[in-house]
Amino acid sequence: MPIFVPHTLIMTLRIDIVTLFPEMCASYCEGSIVGRAVRRGLVDIALVNPRDWAGGRHRTVDDRPYGGGPGMVMAAPPIAECLDSLLNRSRNPRLLMTSPQGGRLTQRGINMLAEDDHIIILCGHYEGIDERIVELYKPEEFSIGDFVLSGGELAALIVTDAVTRQIPGALGHAESAVSDSFQGEGTLLDHPCYTKPAEFRGLEVPAVLTSGDHGAVDNWRETKRIERTQERRPDLESE
Ligand code: SAH
């Protein structure tokens, strides 16, 4: 069923992903829930390449690290020019930077971002970004986990996806985001879910789910959420 969102209530969230590899991000932003939210005008995603602000014949965006060592470092000037231009486009831009050294991304952080109206996500690549960008622009650095990626593009897409599904109207059912894992008061994991066929390789769907008793279904789901959280993530309960 199409969801009707009155036009006066639509506040488009703008997300600028600053990346040397916009083509890596493009198809993800066109598909599924994110793509549909873009087409509905709920989110406006721009893929911005600092190379467009790089000077010189070769439009150089990286160079060898001062002090020696392997790899390349993303140079400050084109990124600074690019950020100056993006930061000027709204009154309250929020600047994020992908980094394994940043604070760990959480659902709570995502929910806060979904209240913003302009988010800029800076993606590092190679060895990272010249530290003076951090000193000058003081981005909020975030990590998606204690491991190292080749670049910030996946991390930026993770934020884009997770934030987009929190925007009212982005999901088919307004409720589905609320009952997801990590959402709501108690920070519980989600319950297991099933669809047709009712029997598969000898395994039957739990009878309560086909009973038509909505109260019993709700109780079963709540119990499963609590059980799963205790089994898999006992640490969540203390948060
Ligand atoms: N030398 C850096 C890692 C560079 S990895 C260090 O050890 O801290 C290249 C880029 O990928 C980073 O600049 C960052 O933008 C991105 N990246 C890597 N791992 C990440 C993670 N866990 N979370 C978010 N971004 C990450």
Side-chain angles (χ1 to χ4, degrees):
M1 199 179 70
I3 293 186
F4 175 71
V5 184
H7 252 284
T8 45
L9 292 181
I10 292 186
M11 251 247 317
T12 307
L13 165 65
R14 183 181 168 103
I15 302 179
D16 294 322
I17 302 180
V18 178
T19 168
L20 292 177
F21 300 91
E23 68 286 353
M24 281 183 165
C25 305
S27 69
Y28 194 83
C29 297
E30 284 160 18
S32 187
I33 290 169
V34 175
R36 196 177 58 187
V38 170
R39 290 190 290 280
R40 283 183 178 165
L42 301 174
V43 61
D44 179 14
I45 302 171
L47 305 173
V48 189
N49 194 337
R51 199 177 286 281
D52 296 341
W53 280 266
R57 201 154 58 88
H58 299 293
R59 294 189 166 271
T60 307
V61 288
D62 56 359
D63 218 320
R64 309 189 75 84
Y66 276 118
M72 301 294 269
V73 176
M74 284 172 68
I79 296 176
E81 301 279 337
C82 173
L83 291 181
D84 288 345
S85 143
L86 296 176
L87 288 164
N88 268 329
R89 288 189 194 171
S90 74
R91 250 184 291 160
N92 284 314
R94 184 189 282 252
L95 178 60
L96 307 179
M97 187 175 110
T98 58
S99 164
Q101 302 176 26
R104 183 82 67 86
L105 194 64
T106 62
Q107 187 65 49
R108 195 174 301 161
I110 292 290
N111 294 355
M112 280 167 59
L113 291 175
E115 310 262 302
D116 279 318
D117 46 35
H118 184 194
I119 301 169
I120 303 168
I121 311 173
L122 179 53
C123 301
H125 222 94
Y126 314 119
E127 287 304 308
I129 297 175
D130 189 306
E131 188 65 17
R132 286 164 296 185
I133 290 295
V134 177
E135 288 169 31
L136 288 168
Y137 292 88
K138 304 190 172 34
E140 293 171 53
E141 296 183 45
F142 73 92
S143 164
I144 59 161
D146 290 344
F147 42 83
V148 178
L149 301 164
S150 308
E153 286 71 20
L154 285 171
L157 289 174
I158 284 173
V159 168
T160 302
D161 182 300
V163 168
T164 299
R165 58 185 283 118
Q166 295 308 315
I167 302 173
L171 294 180
H173 293 276
E175 279 168 30
S176 20
V178 178
S179 65
D180 277 341
S181 300
F182 311 115
Q183 290 286 17
E185 296 268 311
T187 318
L188 295 173
L189 299 179
D190 204 359
H191 55 74
C193 47
Y194 300 84
T195 187
K196 287 176 187 162
E199 197 235 276
F200 177 63
R201 298 196 179 174
L203 297 179
E204 304 227 347
V205 169
V208 61
L209 297 180
T210 51
S211 67
D213 180 343
H214 296 299
V217 170
D218 286 349
N219 282 342
W220 180 87
R221 288 183 168 162
E222 185 64 10
T223 307
K224 288 290 167 195
R225 296 183 64 156
I226 294 167
E227 272 174 22
R228 290 209 145 183
T229 310
Q230 280 166 354
E231 273 165 32
R232 300 178 185 203
R233 295 293 305 276
D235 56 301
L236 281 179
E237 290 182 291
S238 51
E239 274 185 13

